[in-house]
Amino acid sequence: MPQTNAQVRRPSHRERDRFVGFAFAAADLLIETDARGTILFSAGARCRLTEGDVAGLVGTSLLDVVAPNDRKYVTVLFKRIQDKGRIKPARVVFQGCDGNRFPALLGGCRLDSCPGSLFLTVLLASGPRNTNEALAAAGQLLDGNAFSHILEDRIIKAREKGLDNALTLLLIDGLQSMVDALPEGAAGEVMQGIEAYLRAISANGDSAGQLATDRYGIVHASDIDGQEVQAHITQIIQSAGGELPGGIRTWSLDVSDERLAPADAARALVYTVQAFASAQGGEFTISSLEDGAKRMLSDAVDRIGRLRATIEKRDFFVVYQPIVDIGTRTVHHLEALTRVEGMPSPADFITFAEDVGLIYDFDLLLTQSVLDTMHAHRKEPTLPDVAINLSAKTLMSPIFLRQFLAVTEPYGELARKLLIEVTETVVVTDIAKLNEVLQKLRAAGFRICLDDVGAGSTSFQSLYGIQADFAKIDGHFVRGAVHSGRDMAMLRSMVDVCGQLGLGLIGEQVEGPEHAQLLTELGVPLAQGYLYSRPSRDFAYFAKDWAKMAGTGGKVLRKG
């Protein structure tokens, strides 16, 4: 006998139990609500939401057991289930019957056969993996740094696992001026509404960040397009009575660029996002955003490809410039400086490598290259010590110290002839943590020199917070003090502070006898500059002959 339509739609008890089993295998709690969130059915683990059986939740609102900061966000999730038919599990913070909060993953769908109902799953989750994720899960967007961090992680995982994710940049031109003009309650509605919506469309509910006052970034499923985002943001603003003086523009970035390995592709995107976040007025206007950002991403991909090739092929060389004892004109030690073929500005190369997170690989390779050169000349009786430049950003990497010690360990005592010249301490917000790393290096036998003291990149705060062996005074003050009373006052102050802290002093950019004379009068014993030698690739020259320079009677060591 043929089956009727009713018989086809009505599952057997066995089939029903099977679906129930699948549901509980995927979640700790199953909930049916109406469109407003009123619970119509509840089964499964109590999940700390109630003291009794979870069936007691029926008739209450799900929002009542959601942490207050996440209620608007969950309301947006409800709306997305109704609009899209289904949402993937997103991180939500619930509030237990004991008042304590805990994270869980909330997923859901609707069925055409059950109009008016939402079917939700709640899966208990481990706590947020770090403080920033905790903020995202508690009703706040990630900040720019946290978003960059999670972006790299999301992109790499998307590439490795074949996930269908996309990245959208959002510019709401004039947002702050509009919010400032709104009444307090309406202003709060706009900002909370934008945050809730962006979190709701982001992957896992924790992949959206506020990059600047008017700029956001969202990692999301690829079925969300820019027009949809613009329409929702516009509706949020209009519902609160706001009027945006500028416009809204979204820009989607390709997270699956196959020209680079996953990690380097992620770096290109992170670099572009950070440029988008920090660009000043005119660089990323409504009219120029798409074209300018596309060029920037393409340029980042190309430059990272060249940088990676430079590192892998060791397509760079090292030059050495002496740091000289002013009184005896003998070489105290050398500084190793990087030069890259076809690249006129080493500073641009290093800065870009820092920005895209490849400086760690390069710094380790530079360290090994310098040690190889020293090892080749190890039998010279006057083998000089050598300073290598490591940025504070590199040194703050949690794995760099271990990698650095692993690279230097095979060279034994020869490695202790290295000095570590710390650059760009201005990028470090936790000077105490940087000092902790540097003290571990000092304990391992390495001496520390702080670069560019007085230039802003090494402030008096850095001098106070970091225990080092040497301080290199920025050349601007050395040259300026000859003619400027203000520069002289600054120079005297720096010399006095460094002397009180027991730091050996080095003056930079000593180009004429008057600069050397000034440093001598101030009690600065060491100098570096063209007066003594230009940087040279000829390490052997300094390894063999520099001890004879004490008798040069004021002549230069070498012009390069």
Side-chain angles (χ1 to χ4, degrees):
M1 177 182 296
Q3 291 179 314
T4 65
N5 288 339
Q7 287 173 315
V8 171
R9 288 195 299 270
R10 185 183 301 116
S12 68
H13 289 296
R14 172 62 177 160
E15 289 173 327
R16 182 197 62 193
D17 291 344
R18 180 182 294 135
F19 285 122
V20 171
F22 287 150
F24 278 116
D28 296 296
L29 181 62
L30 306 178
I31 297 175
E32 178 187 358
T33 75
D34 64 15
R36 295 175 176 269
T38 301
I39 298 174
L40 307 176
F41 170 84
S42 180
R46 288 187 295 113
C47 299
R48 291 181 277 169
L49 297 180
T50 177
E51 294 181 354
D53 189 272
V54 291
L57 292 171
V58 172
T60 65
S61 173
L62 181 67
L63 295 177
D64 290 341
V65 292
V66 171
N69 286 349
D70 266 11
R71 289 172 185 169
K72 184 180 286 290
Y73 162 55
V74 171
T75 300
V76 177
L77 291 179
F78 287 167
K79 182 66 166 55
R80 288 192 60 74
I81 295 172
Q82 296 175 64
D83 292 344
K84 297 290 186 179
R86 178 177 179 270
I87 63 166
K88 294 181 179 180
R91 189 180 294 273
V92 172
V93 174
F94 284 89
Q95 186 163 281
C97 57
D98 57 0
N100 292 321
R101 300 178 182 183
F102 61 93
L105 297 177
L106 177 68
C109 69
R110 61 171 173 78
L111 300 175
D112 291 338
S113 58
C114 300
S117 287
L118 304 179
F119 297 90
L120 310 175
T121 61
V122 177
L123 175 65
L124 293 178
S126 59
R129 286 167 288 181
N130 55 48
T131 302
N132 288 311
E133 287 191 34
L135 288 173
Q140 297 184 40
L141 299 175
L142 299 169
D143 62 23
N145 290 332
F147 181 74
S148 294
H149 174 76
I150 202 171
L151 173 60
E152 187 166 350
D153 178 68
R154 293 284 189 271
I155 293 169
I156 292 173
K157 287 182 178 178
R159 286 279 298 272
E160 291 176 345
K161 299 181 179 181
L163 301 178
D164 196 16
N165 282 348
L167 167 64
T168 290
L169 297 180
L170 169 66
L171 173 65
I172 309 176
D173 198 22
L175 174 64
Q176 189 60 55
S177 60
M178 180 202 67
V179 168
D180 290 343
L182 286 172
E184 184 176 345
E189 280 295 311
V190 168
M191 297 308 297
Q192 292 169 21
I194 291 174
E195 290 183 1
Y197 171 69
L198 295 182
R199 287 184 59 211
I201 66 173
S202 73
N204 300 335
D206 62 1
S207 304
Q210 184 167 12
L211 311 177
T213 303
D214 56 357
R215 300 168 208 190
Y216 300 83
I218 316 100
V219 179
H220 54 81
S222 59
D223 63 346
I224 297 170
D225 61 42
Q227 294 299 319
E228 174 188 341
V229 175
Q230 292 181 43
H232 274 276
I233 299 297
T234 299
Q235 184 181 20
I236 291 168
I237 292 172
Q238 292 178 345
S239 296
E243 185 176 347
L244 197 63
I248 301 175
R249 176 64 62 88
T250 55
W251 171 44
S252 293
L253 291 168
D254 183 8
V255 302
S256 59
D257 195 314
E258 298 294 338
R259 288 175 289 173
L260 298 174
D264 286 348
R267 290 183 175 108
L269 284 165
V270 170
Y271 177 77
T272 305
V273 168
Q274 290 174 339
F276 168 74
S278 61
Q280 300 301 309
E283 294 182 69
F284 275 105
T285 62
I286 289 295
S287 59
S288 70
L289 172 63
E290 188 163 348
D291 182 54
K294 283 182 177 178
R295 288 200 311 269
M296 185 172 293
L297 178 59
S298 178
D299 179 62
V301 169
D302 290 342
R303 291 180 70 185
I304 288 176
R306 294 197 301 269
L307 177 56
R308 174 61 71 186
T310 296
I311 293 172
E312 292 180 350
K313 296 177 182 179
R314 297 196 176 205
D315 194 15
F316 67 93
F317 61 92
V318 179
V319 294
Y320 299 89
Q321 187 174 29
I323 286 78
V324 176
D325 184 300
I326 298 176
T328 65
R329 299 182 67 84
T330 57
V331 173
H332 181 271
H333 67 274
L334 307 178
E335 180 181 3
L337 302 166
T338 304
R339 299 291 184 265
V340 180
E341 296 286 0
M343 195 168 296
S345 173
D348 288 346
F349 173 85
I350 296 299
T351 298
F352 183 72
E354 289 177 346
D355 289 343
V356 298
L358 285 174
I359 192 63
Y360 317 114
D361 295 344
F362 185 78
D363 281 344
L364 290 171
L365 192 57
L366 172 64
T367 300
Q368 188 174 40
S369 179
V370 169
L371 285 170
D372 285 343
T373 298
M374 295 173 70
H375 184 264
H377 296 86
R378 66 189 181 282
K379 294 183 180 180
E380 298 294 339
T382 57
L383 183 70
D385 297 341
V386 179
I388 57 173
N389 289 286
L390 298 181
S391 75
K393 187 175 182 179
T394 290
L395 291 164
M396 292 292 282
S397 167
I399 63 173
F400 180 80
L401 180 61
R402 182 172 68 252
Q403 292 175 325
F404 180 80
L405 295 176
V407 166
T408 58
E409 191 274 334
Y411 296 89
E413 286 303 309
L414 182 66
R416 304 306 178 267
K417 293 183 74 64
L418 288 179
L419 287 81
I420 297 172
E421 196 164 306
V422 185
T423 65
E424 295 300 324
T425 58
V426 71
V427 303
V428 176
T429 56
D430 191 344
I431 292 294
K433 184 176 179 181
L434 174 61
N435 184 57
E436 183 180 333
V437 174
L438 295 177
Q439 297 322 303
K440 290 179 180 177
L441 287 167
R442 293 181 83 201
F446 299 97
R447 286 156 295 165
I448 304 298
C449 176
L450 297 179
D451 191 28
D452 292 331
V453 171
S457 58
T458 303
S459 63
F460 284 104
Q461 180 184 4
S462 301
L463 284 174
Y464 179 78
I466 295 175
Q467 293 174 273
D469 302 286
F470 297 94
K472 184 177 283 188
I473 300 171
D474 183 69
H476 167 81
F477 296 102
V478 174
R479 290 181 289 109
V482 174
H483 307 290
S484 168
R486 291 175 64 87
D487 285 339
M488 174 62 82
M490 286 294 297
L491 183 57
R492 286 185 184 278
S493 177
M494 285 183 280
V495 169
D496 181 59
V497 169
C498 291
Q500 293 293 326
L501 295 174
L503 296 168
L505 287 169
I506 304 166
E508 285 186 309
Q509 297 182 24
V510 178
E511 298 178 355
E514 67 276 16
H515 302 138
Q517 179 64 30
L518 175 66
L519 292 175
T520 299
E521 292 172 357
L522 291 174
V524 177
L526 304 175
Q528 178 181 9
Y530 288 175
L531 176 65
Y532 304 105
S533 176
R534 292 179 179 275
S536 171
R537 297 180 69 169
D538 190 0
F539 183 88
Y541 172 82
F542 298 110
K544 292 180 180 179
D545 297 337
W546 64 266
K548 301 176 183 178
M549 295 302 112
T552 57
K555 297 178 181 178
V556 296
L557 287 178
R558 189 177 179 89
K559 279 297 184 183

